[in-house]
Amino acid sequence: MINMKHNKQGKKSQVPVDFLISLTIFIIVLFLVSFTLVQNFIELNIERERETLFLLGFGISELLLYDEGYPSNWNNIYATQRIGFAQDYYKLSREKVLAINNCDYDMYNKIKSLLSVPAEMDIEILVSKINDEIVSHCGRSYLNRKFVEIRRIASIDNEIVLLKILIYH
């Protein structure tokens, strides 16, 4: 039996050691569980954000690869209501691809608007040959921002090209 001291009113004044050990273990376990939950929540949010960017980029690549745009014979970004590079299945129109090359600030914002890219995100569209020779480029490159990259293969005038969509958050 534990020897307890009594104060003047006859109440026990000492806490049992096993209670302190149990309380300490409980606090440690509570801290570890809380820490794990917070870490998992943060990791899930990061993964959700990444997946959202990936889905947006994939949707944009699908639109550019398979849609002719509207009107279907557009060659000026300001004259189009819906952007698309398709000439046929996986075949891109050289004129449409070149129409966005070296886009300026206004054209970039028009493309973002046509593609429904949210204001807080940025996009980069790059069409290059297999030997990395750039056919067309529109958008801004950022070194210190998170991004996802979507790569799709297509052709322009029976030459294989790589369509890269980079979405920056």
Side-chain angles (χ1 to χ4, degrees), residues 74 85-87 91-98 155-156:
W74 70 271
F85 297 157
Q87 188 173 22
K91 291 183 181 179
L92 306 181
S93 165
R94 181 174 295 279
E95 292 78 27
K96 292 176 183 179
V97 169
L98 291 176
S155 71
I156 296 178

Side-chain angles (χ1 to χ4, degrees), residues 18-50:
D18 56 345
F19 175 74
L20 290 176
I21 292 172
S22 299
L23 182 63
T24 304
I25 291 173
F26 175 76
I27 290 172
I28 290 171
V29 168
L30 184 65
F31 173 76
L32 290 174
V33 168
S34 299
F35 180 76
T36 303
L37 287 174
V38 168
Q39 282 297 108
N40 287 340
F41 181 74
I42 291 170
E43 288 175 19
L44 286 174
N45 274 342
I46 291 170
E47 185 64 25
R48 181 189 52 80
E49 183 179 292
R50 185 182 169 289

Side-chain angles (χ1 to χ4, degrees), residues 1-145:
M1 182 163 187
I2 298 174
N3 186 9
M4 300 284 177
K5 293 184 181 178
H6 295 276
N7 60 13
K8 292 181 182 176
Q9 288 109 10
K11 295 183 181 177
K12 297 178 183 176
S13 63
Q14 202 175 39
V15 178
V17 174
D18 56 345
F19 175 74
L20 290 176
I21 292 172
S22 299
L23 182 63
T24 304
I25 291 173
F26 175 76
I27 290 172
I28 290 171
V29 168
L30 184 65
F31 173 76
L32 290 174
V33 168
S34 299
F35 180 76
T36 303
L37 287 174
V38 168
Q39 282 297 108
N40 287 340
F41 181 74
I42 291 170
E43 288 175 19
L44 286 174
N45 274 342
I46 291 170
E47 185 64 25
R48 181 189 52 80
E49 183 179 292
R50 185 182 169 289
E51 288 296 321
T52 300
L53 294 176
F54 181 78
L55 288 173
L56 177 65
F58 189 77
I60 289 170
S61 72
E62 289 280 307
L63 180 69
L64 295 177
L65 281 176
Y66 302 129
D67 194 354
E68 296 176 334
Y70 183 79
S72 62
N73 62 346
W74 70 271
N75 61 2
N76 179 343
I77 198 67
Y78 297 106
T80 186
Q81 296 172 7
R82 189 178 69 238
I83 190 171
F85 297 157
Q87 188 173 22
D88 198 4
Y89 194 68
Y90 282 104
K91 291 183 181 179
L92 306 181
S93 165
R94 181 174 295 279
E95 292 78 27
K96 292 176 183 179
V97 169
L98 291 176
I100 69 158
N101 193 29
N102 296 323
C103 61
D104 60 13
Y105 182 77
D106 291 332
M107 186 187 294
Y108 172 76
N109 285 326
K110 172 74 173 173
I111 292 169
K112 271 183 70 170
S113 172
L114 289 170
L115 295 173
S116 301
V117 176
E120 70 273 3
M121 295 181 187
D122 286 301
I123 184 171
E124 187 176 4
I125 300 170
L126 182 68
V127 180
S128 63
K129 295 180 181 180
I130 296 300
N131 63 1
D132 289 334
E133 180 185 337
I134 295 174
V135 176
S136 183
H137 176 261
C138 180
R140 297 174 179 86
S141 296
Y142 296 94
L143 297 176
N144 297 322
R145 287 180 67 183

